[in-house]
Every structure is written in structure tokens, then in C-alpha cells.
Amino acid sequence: MFGKEVTVGGWVQDVRNLGGISFLQLRDSRGVIQITTLKKRSMELFDLVASIPRESVVLVTGEAKQSKEARAGFEVLPSRIDILNKAETPLPLGVVDKVGADLDTRLNNRFMDLRKEEVRATFRIKSITLQGIRGYLSAQGFTEVSTPKIVAAGAEGGSTLFQVRYFDRNAYLAQSPQLYKQNLMATGLDRIFEIAPAFRAEASDTIRHIAEFASLDVELAFINSSEDVMEVAEGIVVNSLNHVREHAKAELKALGVELGEPLTPFPRVKYADAVEMVRSKGMKLEHGEDLGTEGEKLLGDVMMAEKKAELYFITEFPTALKRSTFYAKRRDDDPELTGYFDLDYKGQEIVSGGQREHRYDVLTEQMRENNLSLESFEFYLKAFRYGMPPHGGFGFGVERYVQKMLGLPNIREAVLYPRDRSRLTP
Ligand code: ATP
């Protein structure tokens, strides 16, 4: 390459002018190349370089020359520079500024924010994570499916439903594919998964809730218990972490993240024991109450301190707590408990699931307890009257997973264009 003519395109990150010589830092998707212009070689090019605003897009043609000083190991001595798109000044957001902008400013100018290597690295890793998940599930015989996102009824409670106008009727944006993935269990497509947006009109702004998130949903039939479901959840995490470790080395480095191997099998903590553990840390919590953000965090601290476990299951959730999850199977030996589980990662729930109730009579009774109108769930219920095998599954929040994997302070960092109560653009 050295001594040859090359053409490189990219963004003008910075220009340093030292009188007779100037250095233009040209950034592309792979890194930064130094363009060195000498006044004595071409006054015209030298003046042109001095006039280009930062972040403009240029095409540089010139000789590639080995250089010990340049970061890439070479520099380009230009014979021609074309400005393809001149950036306005001032910039709405600095790309190489030492002082970081606040998240809102960054999200308002996401295209600019993404020019930072470490911000792009998050989304490369998210993509590699999804590749790892798809690869694992496909190898395990799962079929990827797509279910409707415009639906007639919600499955996760009315308070977080987004209503939309659907021709001359009202409809909703799907909170989860729950009813459809269960419906598919009556078909012979025994092991399915879907990776698609889920929509929730979350009432409060938190660092782990957004109004539109990528939900990985898995459902499998002919299971014996929730253990069969947990095995798949654990397999997904272990295998996708391995995949990221192997295929995202540069991106992990850019973010300064070292991905350790999780302790396996993931430890299991019964809900009742989890309550005791967070109480021992001083939190006031009654048996039967949701651990909540604070409880989950405290439990994460205890699991780390005592077991060095970043990933662990919380099992045996009480029926009282999961009552609104009308499709959860209660234990035959103790109906006050479900076989439901959460998978938590560093003190935050990322997965929730378990064995579903597949017996029509019991299911409809549980729906009545929740004051649900059976008529509006007829399409769902029908499948339970004509041969529904035992089955189970889970919902897995992709962004929460990436957030915890990379230690991101806010889930919004793991979404290109997040949606929340106050954000509808960009
Ligand atoms: P939480 O109690 O944390 O609000 P949830 O119990 O409502 O979550 P589920 O309905 O069980 O969550 O959904 C399964 C998974 O989907 C969660 O474990 C989480 O990873 C993800 N998830 C749910 N709601 C959101 C949201 N608003 N934003 C991002 N991810 C979410």
C-alpha cells in the first residue's frame, strides 16, 4: 500500500494547523487516518484543508506513506480533496469533546452521537448478541416466527396498553406476543421464538423501562416443568455471551468491558429466600410483595458478595404476586406458589417466564379471577379446547440484557432511537 495512490472517504474529525504543515484527522467506520498537507507542496490544498468545517464529509486522494507518528501507522499526502458534504457550524454535539454531553442532548442528535466509536460499539454488540441468540436457538431446533403487533386484546394488564385506530375499530399495540406464542403451541410448531418490538405505555420514567423494546420471546411445548424453560433461558445467555466475547473483541475494547464467564448452572434463589435476603440488608418488604427495583438491586449485591453470581434465577413466585399473570401455572402440590421464575442480571430482572396453564377449565377460572372477559380472548381460548400440550416460555428484554452486559447506566443507551413518555422524535 505504501507509495501507492489511495482514495479515502470519511468525516473530518479535526484539523490542526502548524503553519507550514496541517494534519487532518479523517474518520471512517474503521478508525482515523491522518491526512498531512504541506503548504510548500500545494498552497491551494493547504488553504482548502484549513477551511473545511469539522464533521464535513470529504474524499481524499493521495499517496499513502508509512508514519510512526500517525495512529493508523500511515498517513496520506493528498493530491486532491473533494468536499462531498460541508457541515454547518456550530455542531449540535461534539464528537471528540472531552466533556460528555447529557443523554438528552445526545439522543436529540443521535446520528451525531453515533459517530463516536464507543456509542457505535454498543449497537454492534447488540447485533452480535442477537446473532448469537438466533444461532443458539436455531441449533436447538427453534423456529423463528412473527406475530401481529396490532392486536385486539392485551395480555399484560390494561394500564400499559397503547390504543390505536384500526380502520373503524379500536385496537392496541402488542405488549407481548404472549397469546400468539401460546396459540402456536397447539400447532406442532413445538419450539418457537420471536424477536420483535413490544409496546408498553409505562407510567413512570425509569432507567430500565422504555415504551418500545425488543422482546425475545420463547415458547416450547411438551415440557415437564418450568425447569425445561429455565434451561433454554440459561442456554441463550451463556451462548450469546460466548458469541459476543468471541466476535466483538474490538467493540468490547472500545467500551472497556471485559466479559467474564458466568457461574453455571445459574444459582436459584426461591422468592421466599430472596425476601429474607433483602430484609437482611435493611429493606422493609412483606412476603408476597414485589421485590421492586430496590429489592432486586439488593439481592444482586448479596448474590455477588456471597456467590460471585451475576446471573441467577428467582424461583417459586407466590401465586398472589403473579395473579394478574393469568396464564401462569400454579403448582399442583401447592397452589399458593407458581413455577414462575425471573432471571436477574446484576440486580435487574431481564427475563420472566415459566410453565403456563394449559388446562382449559383452570385457565378460564384464573381469567375470571382477573375479571377478564372470556369472549374477548376467544381466539386464544379456543386453542385450549382442541388439544393443547403442556408448555411454557418466557419474555426476555434484549435491551435490558445489553444494558447489564455492558454496564450502561440507562436502558436508553442500548436503543438507537428510544421511545418513552417524553420522547417521540428522532
Ligand atoms: P418490570 O417488573 O421490570 O416492569 P415486567 O414484569 O413488566 O417488568 P414482563 O412483562 O415479565 O416484565 O416482561 C418480560 C421482560 O421484558 C422483562 O424481564 C424485561 O426484560 C422486558 N421488559 C418489560 N417491560 C419493559 C420495558 N418497559 N422496557 C424494557 N424492557 C422491558
Side-chain angles (χ1 to χ4, degrees), residues 400-413:
R400 282 209 192 159
Y401 180 40
V402 173
Q403 181 191 358
K404 285 288 143 179
M405 185 195 296
L406 303 179
L408 304 172
N410 192 314
I411 192 168
R412 289 163 184 75
E413 300 262 9

Side-chain angles (χ1 to χ4, degrees), residues 156 160 175-176 198-202 206 208-217 290 292-293 296 322 325 327 340 342-343 348-353 394-401 411:
E156 312 298 328
T160 64
Q175 296 161 308
S176 89
F199 304 92
R200 303 214 183 159
E202 300 286 357
T206 77
R208 59 190 219 160
H209 290 95
I210 35 181
E212 176 177 353
F213 64 95
S215 182
L216 159 64
D217 280 274
D290 192 18
T293 311
E296 284 178 24
K322 293 283 178 190
T325 310
Y327 43 83
Y340 257 53
D342 279 359
L343 173 60
Q348 180 172 291
E349 173 198 325
I350 60 164
V351 181
S352 185
F394 53 82
F396 180 123
V398 174
E399 285 91 4
R400 282 209 192 159
Y401 180 40
I411 192 168

Side-chain angles (χ1 to χ4, degrees), residues 4-10 24 26 33-37 41-42 45 48-49 58-65 75-84:
K4 296 235 170 70
E5 189 180 84
V6 295
T7 298
V8 285
L24 183 160
L26 185 71
I33 296 168
Q34 179 172 294
I35 314 296
T36 308
T37 313
R41 255 182 104 184
S42 166
L45 272 183
L48 179 68
V49 167
V58 298
L59 208 57
V60 178
T61 303
E63 184 196 332
K65 191 169 160 251
E75 59 189 343
V76 176
L77 309 177
S79 51
R80 181 188 167 124
I81 298 180
D82 293 306
I83 301 178
L84 302 185

